[in-house]
């Protein structure tokens, strides 16, 4: 599918680490080069026509993100990435939560949610409740003030019960923080219909550039900025300053202008193919891999169910995940091995680490077949390792 659009695919590698970061399309790369070659000025500053046109492009991406999630432009703030977005959202939680309140997370979260919520709870003497991913909904009650979880988890590829959690907000008065880093790759949630207080994602997993992310919220007007400086202010006086309205009060200093503009290109690219087509291609490949990998002796898959995901996580009995990844690398196949920034899940699986295959829209059946053949060649990698 559209492999010629991705210059990195000309290299000799087979890339199965798309959940870490996806390759960038030529359009995304060209957009960044075009910025530096042809209109390399700052946004919102000066009164020059070039500055205006760059500002327009930058704000154009905000409109694209808002359309993607069916929300208003003023509800979209650009950040450095999901991690940054979650930390900005957490500043609001910090300002309203009180000692004794409960924050609920699952044991399958990425550290971006897990550690950020854990540290918030330590600072504010809030109760940090960690429950099994499958039990998250059952553990929401009157004491719950925040539910923080993933749209889709980054190791086992499970989708949270987003609609259920959103519906429960009417009965129990909590804030819902959703980490969309892996989810946005598969679907664009309708945030006007769902009751989600904060939604975060990164551009680089969506075949877009590094260094840019998004935070959506309807609470921005009530939130105070956490980064101060130029561009986010309204009137600055000796002893007091007023700030611009959201989203601008959260975008202090010089922003990553070319990356924001290129994120718009990445969104256009995804929508031009369509989520449905991308998903059906990826889910087909995943199905093939699961069926074939199940036949390999000693290979233990942790998420072999036919879920709608691009992730397959596994280990080999008696072998370290890093050794397998090294062997695959010798065969020019790139996967991820480690704890995947999800230490609580590793504890649950009772493993220090796992190997994760994450498929992208440009992966092919041929590449999957090659992977299976290499995995089958156990003697081969024992040779390499020992
Ligand atoms: N949450 C999840 C579920 C992720 O997979 C990742 C990236 N591994 C992050 C958060 C963090 O994203 P970033 O590093 O782009 O901030």
């Amino acid at each position: 599918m559209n492999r010629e659009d991705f210059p990195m695919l000309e290299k000799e590698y087979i890339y199965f680490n798309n959940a870490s970061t996806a390759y960038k399309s030529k359009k995304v790369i060209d957009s960044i080069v075009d910025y530096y070659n042809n209109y390399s000025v700052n946004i919102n500053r000066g009164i020059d026509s070039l500055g205006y046109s760059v500002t327009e492009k930058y704000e154009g991406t905000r409109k694209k993100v808002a359309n993607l999630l069916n929300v208003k432009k003023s509800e979209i703030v650009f950040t450095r990435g999901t991690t940054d977005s979650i930390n900005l959202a957490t500043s609001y939680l910090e300002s309203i939560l009180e000692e004794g309140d409960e924050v609920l997370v699952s044991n399958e979260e990425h550290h971006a949610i897990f550690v950020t919520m854990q540290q918030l709870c330590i600072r504010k003497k809030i109760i940090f409740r960690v429950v099994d991913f499958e039990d998250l909904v059952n553990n929401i009650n009157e004491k719950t003030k925040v539910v923080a979880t993933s749209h889709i988890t980054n190791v086992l590829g499970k989708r949270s019960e987003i609609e259920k959690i959103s519906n429960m907000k009417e009965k129990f008065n909590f804030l819902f923080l959703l980490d969309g880093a892996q989810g946005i790759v598969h679907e664009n949630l309708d945030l006007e219909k769902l009751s989600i207080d904060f939604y975060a994602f990164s551009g680089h997993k969506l075949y877009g550039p590094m260094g840019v992310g998004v935070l959506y919220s309807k609470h921005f007007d009530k939130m105070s900025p956490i980064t101060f400086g130029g561009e986010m202010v309204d009137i600055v006086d000796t002893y007091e300053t007023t700030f611009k309205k959201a989203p601008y009060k959260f975008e202090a200093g010089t922003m990553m202008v070319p990356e924001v503009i290129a994120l718009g290109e990445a969104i256009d690219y995804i929508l031009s193919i369509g989520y449905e087509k991308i998903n059906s291609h990826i889910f087909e490949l995943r199905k093939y891999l699961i069926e074939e990998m199940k036949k390999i002796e000693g290979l233990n898959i942790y998420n072999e169910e036919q879920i709608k995901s691009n992730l397959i996580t596994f280990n080999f009995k008696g072998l370290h995940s890093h050794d397998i990844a090294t062997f695959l690398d010798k065969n020019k196949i790139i996967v991820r091995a480690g704890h995947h920034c999800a230490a609580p899940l590793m504890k649950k699986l009772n493993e220090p680490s796992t190997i994760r295959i994450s498929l992208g829209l440009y992966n092919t059946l041929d590449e999957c077949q090659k992977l299976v053949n290499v995995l089958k060649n156990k003697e081969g990698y024992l040779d390499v390792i020992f």
Side-chain angles (χ1 to χ4, degrees), residues 161-174:
E161 295 185 88
I162 298 165
E163 291 72 15
K164 253 192 206 169
I165 299 172
S166 160
N167 287 338
M168 288 173 86
K169 286 192 59 199
E170 249 183 60
K171 182 163 176 207
F172 304 108
N173 191 22
F174 60 89

Side-chain angles (χ1 to χ4, degrees), residues 126-337:
I126 299 163
I127 298 160
F128 184 50
R129 282 197 68 207
V130 185
V131 298
D132 206 55
F133 182 85
E134 275 71 23
D135 293 337
L136 195 71
V137 166
N138 293 338
N139 276 283
I140 298 173
N141 58 41
E142 292 78 8
K143 289 187 229 143
T144 312
K145 291 293 173 280
V146 175
V147 175
T149 190
S150 301
H151 178 170
I152 294 179
T153 63
N154 72 313
V155 182
L156 300 182
K158 294 180 188 170
R159 188 183 189 276
S160 284
E161 295 185 88
I162 298 165
E163 291 72 15
K164 253 192 206 169
I165 299 172
S166 160
N167 287 338
M168 288 173 86
K169 286 192 59 199
E170 249 183 60
K171 182 163 176 207
F172 304 108
N173 191 22
F174 60 89
L175 291 167
F176 185 12
L177 165 53
L178 195 62
D179 171 352
Q182 300 295 339
I184 193 75
V185 180
H186 292 300
E187 59 177 344
N188 50 334
L189 296 176
D190 185 336
L191 297 183
E192 205 44 55
K193 287 213 182 99
L194 290 162
S195 184
I196 293 171
D197 295 281
F198 294 99
Y199 185 75
F201 74 88
S202 304
H204 69 99
K205 297 187 199 272
L206 195 62
Y207 309 92
M210 297 271 187
V212 57
V214 164
L215 180 65
Y216 150 83
S217 183
K218 289 213 186 306
H219 300 289
F220 287 147
D221 288 342
K222 290 174 273 170
M223 286 171 61
S224 301
I226 54 171
T227 307
F228 300 90
E231 291 304 312
M232 47 80 72
V233 295
D234 186 12
I235 297 167
V236 179
D237 209 341
T238 311
Y239 295 109
E240 111 189 290
T241 294
T242 55
F243 305 110
K244 282 184 180 158
K245 283 189 183 332
Y248 308 107
K249 67 177 172 183
F250 298 109
E251 295 177 4
T254 294
M255 296 294 283
M256 45 294 176
V257 178
E259 287 78 9
V260 169
I261 295 170
L263 172 63
E265 289 294 334
I267 292 171
D268 285 348
Y269 185 82
I270 297 293
L271 296 180
S272 73
I273 304 173
Y275 275 107
E276 214 174 304
K277 197 167 164 197
I278 294 170
N279 285 340
S280 68
H281 173 69
I282 286 175
F283 300 159
E284 253 331 283
L285 294 183
R286 183 179 188 276
K287 195 166 162 229
Y288 165 82
L289 280 173
I290 296 270
E291 276 165 14
E292 293 304 314
M293 286 168 64
K294 267 164 71 174
K295 295 179 200 158
I296 301 174
E297 212 194 308
L299 193 153
N300 178 25
I301 306 174
Y302 298 102
N303 58 347
E304 67 174 52
E305 316 80 45
Q306 288 303 343
I307 49 173
K308 292 180 173 170
S309 164
N310 61 335
L311 307 179
I312 301 175
T313 294
F314 66 100
N315 264 328
F316 257 105
K317 211 172 165 189
L319 293 170
H320 197 283
S321 66
H322 287 182
D323 291 335
I324 303 295
T326 304
F327 175 66
L328 290 172
D329 180 54
K330 292 223 177 333
N331 285 275
K332 303 288 179 214
I333 297 175
I334 299 176
V335 297
R336 172 96 185 258

